[in-house]
Amino acid sequence: MSREQKNNWQPSASLSNLKLRSQVIDAIRSFFKARQVLEIDTPILCSNTVTDPFISSIPAHVAINQNNKLKTYYLQTSPEYAMKRLLAACPIPIFQITKSFRQGEIGHNHNPEFTMLEWYRPHYDHHQLMDEMDELLQSILCCQKAIRKTYADLFFDILQINPHQVELNHLKDCARKHHIHLANEVTDKDTWLDLLMSHCIEPKLLGDRPFFIYDFPASQAALARIKKGDPSVAMRFEVYAQGRELANGFYELQDAHEQRLRFETNLLKRNELGLDELPIDEYFLSALNTGLPDCSGVALGVDRLIMLVAESDNIQDILSFDFSRV
Amino acid sequence: MSMYGLNEIRSGMKLIIDNDPCVVVDNEFVKPGKGQAFNRLRYRNLKTGRVIERTYKSGDSILAADVVEIDAQYLYRSDDEWHFMANETYEQYVVHEAEVQDAKQWLKEQCDCKLTLWNGTPILVVPPTFVTLKIVETDPGLKGDTSGGGGKPAKLESGAVVRVPLFVQEGESIKVDTRTGEYVSRAKE
């Protein structure tokens, strides 16, 4: 055992933060139980996982028969697919608080194993779900009502660019003007938008009121519906508080065919980037085929919410044992 | 030469960036939920002292720099060469104008310095924090002056010019803080 391990047997969180953690989780449960949202739990270990090129799953090798033949399963990066399968079978409001896992995500705001709150509301669009999110945050953070802004207005207000129409070179110039010096060539517009978001915009999303950002570029739709128009936008929202991303929600895509195309696009992108090949989750697509209710859903990083309550800027302060101690 | 992945880089590590040795000040992992992972690296260029910020893809690696800091004694100067000797190995090092930079005005023979070596070659000299040096030239001060007031310039035996109180005279030795270049006190030889 190394000296570092000997000194690191102790928890990374203080007792007072562990108490805050317990209170926040209790408050979330009470909030949903009072609203008759059913608490469920879904498997963390599944034979499929997300195909997103920028979300990496942690594989686990599991014996599937008496001969110890091993098959690769994946620790889930969010409970989204399983929850939607439940919704397709029983269209009622559901929530869960679960551990999720993401490969390689270690930092002040990231831990490879983290706690996620995810909930779904049949017959809600993303604006109605934002209303509910607002009430949840006000009750837990004792904060003011959130500020809502479209992705386009946010970029225009802070950087004076139109994110839907801006050219790649203009994005690069804007980044350079804001002292973002990239070591590599990046030619993907969405990546530049993400860089501007994380380097220039996020740090400005401060104050007593959280920010709800909605109507993302259609190219960043993930599992959200797209609202046709000029420009077409993804019916997706993100929540920010004290300069930190807290949650991501969708007015959920119901179209199984469109969903399959998006998965295939992801797989092509993964291939381009030299990432592992992954199977497409056919259980999930079959559920969509049978019929996902008209619904919205959102996932919130519970650890980051607790960081806000504890006024901490390092995730290790509110985890019993952060990743360096496990 | 070894490489470090962006995820294993910690503050204090020495790297080669743009062909120069650098020391990491801070490395922040930045990743939007759905977006690509980046690391925001802040580092000091050990040659110029400048702190620079740059954003890398998290999958990238950076070359490690073989940089060490040693204790060395300043021996003497001959023209444009400053000669040092390592305290531990007695090995001698020759340092040129570009590397001795701001340190040279404080160097007095036999003083203890820190030498930063990159691949065995000195790239930076740090003088002791406090040095005691003799004033070789200053205007005579007025009688009765105490340490208050504006002071006057004084040239030291090592070549530096510092502001000293008016009562301090030519031929006296003074203690100076080399980080700020400020007079601290009179010193007894």
Side-chain angles (χ1 to χ4, degrees), chain B residues 123-136:
Chain B
I123 53 167
L124 191 69
V125 178
V126 178
T129 308
F130 297 103
V131 290
T132 298
L133 294 164
K134 190 181 271 183
I135 296 174
V136 294

Side-chain angles (χ1 to χ4, degrees), chain A residues 46-61 71-77 81 101 103 260 262-282 285:
Chain A
C46 296
S47 55
N48 293 295
T49 188
V50 292
T51 53
D52 297 44
F54 301 129
I55 297 180
S56 177
S57 305
I58 299 177
H61 306 291
K71 185 178 172 217
T72 302
Y73 280 63
Y74 301 92
L75 299 178
Q76 295 298 283
T77 61
Y81 298 169
F101 297 81
Q103 187 80 281
R260 184 180 291 279
R262 289 193 196 173
F263 281 162
E264 282 168 358
T265 307
N266 282 348
L267 292 182
L268 282 176
K269 179 89 189 169
R270 291 187 71 88
N271 192 357
E272 257 173 53
L273 294 169
L275 301 169
D276 295 344
E277 273 185 48
L278 287 173
I280 285 179
D281 190 337
E282 296 294 343
L285 286 178

Side-chain angles (χ1 to χ4, degrees), chain A residues 250-268:
Chain A
F250 302 135
Y251 190 13
E252 302 291 349
L253 179 68
Q254 289 171 293
D255 182 340
H257 176 69
E258 166 75 20
Q259 185 63 67
R260 184 180 291 279
L261 288 179
R262 289 193 196 173
F263 281 162
E264 282 168 358
T265 307
N266 282 348
L267 292 182
L268 282 176

